[in-house]
Amino acid sequence: MIRLYGFWRSAAAFRVRIALNLKGIAFAETMIDLDAGDQHLPDYISVNPQAVVPSLILEDGTTLTQSVAILEYLDETHPAPALLPSDAIGRARVRALALIWAADHHPLIPPRIRAYLRDTLGVDDDGRTAWVKHWFSEGLRIGEARLAHDPATGRFCHGDTPTIADLCLLSQVMGARGFKVDFGPYPTINRIVDACLEIDAFNHALPLKQPGAPAAH
Ligand SMILES: N[C@@H](CCC(=O)N[C@@H](CS)C(=O)NCC(=O)O)C(=O)O
């Protein structure tokens, strides 16, 4: 069976979990405790030398890394339901939206970044929280501006079926909620998130529903 290396709180693993669920692909998940630093243990480094989750181990033993590359692989090998539009312009729009969150904003907030702010730059708790909330809010502000008045936006980020843009949006939104970011200014995003969470594949993949998550948040 396919094995996902993830962590309950990991935004990048969350994206992959949603895609596996949407496509009905059976998988087992091994949780790498990022709070305990288990991503740096030799056993995991031998899986993913970058010391991050997710990693996806295919049935033939091939290891895939980088969540967006994994999403594209899953979409190519399991085409239904499609997570990318059938037209090139649509695919470019969806990838551009996905990369706002997965490439421009998520990389500013993971544990290794916060550890560097604390240990090397001496940024205190309040400063690190302000940093994280700022970059979450920026990703949401830019996403809202891109989505709100674009006729290509539908029930979801692109049209009326979920795409990889929605997976990347949801992963940022759940992290931002954890940091109590104000969602008032983002009505289009709130509407899309509600639509996603009506789908079991999204719901069952939620960070707080994974083993190891705190019972109440
Ligand atoms: N671009 C990578 C990001 C991977 C990443 O940063 N994962 C985080 C969890 S969401 C992680 O494992 N962080 C460990 C650390 O920062 O030490 C992807 O999309 O897969």
Side-chain angles (χ1 to χ4, degrees):
M1 189 185 285
I2 286 183
R3 178 160 300 277
L4 174 65
Y5 284 91
F7 182 53
W8 69 267
R9 201 182 59 225
S10 161
F14 179 30
R15 293 169 203 146
V16 173
R17 214 182 287 121
I18 301 168
L20 290 164
N21 288 348
L22 279 169
K23 289 175 179 297
I25 303 170
F27 68 100
E29 184 164 355
T30 299
M31 296 297 175
I32 302 297
D33 187 343
L34 301 183
D35 290 332
D38 289 357
Q39 67 272 37
H40 300 291
L41 294 177
D43 278 359
Y44 187 65
I45 293 290
S46 69
V47 174
N48 185 338
Q50 205 185 338
V52 295
V53 295
S55 302
L56 192 71
I57 316 301
L58 304 181
E59 275 165 348
D60 70 358
T62 304
T63 301
L64 302 182
T65 61
Q66 286 290 344
S67 62
V68 176
I70 294 172
L71 298 182
E72 297 253 3
Y73 167 84
L74 292 173
D75 208 41
E76 285 174 25
T77 54
H78 298 77
L83 294 178
L84 285 166
S86 56
D87 63 303
I89 294 286
R91 285 194 296 278
R93 179 176 182 272
V94 165
R95 288 180 173 124
L97 287 167
L99 293 174
I100 290 174
W101 301 299
D104 289 349
H105 290 97
H106 173 252
L108 294 163
I109 51 100
R112 62 192 178 283
I113 305 301
R114 286 184 268 150
Y116 184 81
L117 290 170
R118 183 191 61 214
D119 301 338
T120 306
L121 301 182
V123 180
D124 64 12
D125 286 355
D126 288 349
R128 293 198 311 282
T129 300
W131 168 282
V132 170
K133 288 180 81 159
H134 171 75
W135 291 115
F136 271 131
S137 301
E138 275 296 283
L140 296 169
R141 183 184 66 74
I142 291 162
E144 180 71 23
R146 288 292 305 265
L147 292 165
H149 305 295
D150 188 334
T153 304
R155 180 169 166 74
F156 297 96
C157 286
H158 190 82
D160 294 327
T161 57
T163 62
I164 64 170
D166 300 286
L167 278 53
C168 292
L169 172 60
L170 259 281
S171 65
Q172 282 302 92
V173 163
M174 291 306 149
R177 282 188 182 177
F179 275 86
K180 311 264 186 288
V181 167
D182 175 16
F183 276 77
Y186 316 123
T188 313
I189 286 178
N190 291 334
R191 175 180 67 66
I192 292 171
V193 170
D194 288 346
C196 289
L197 292 179
E198 283 177 19
I199 301 173
D200 283 349
F202 281 83
N203 226 297
H204 295 160
L206 282 169
L208 288 175
K209 294 191 174 168
Q210 306 313 307
H217 207 63

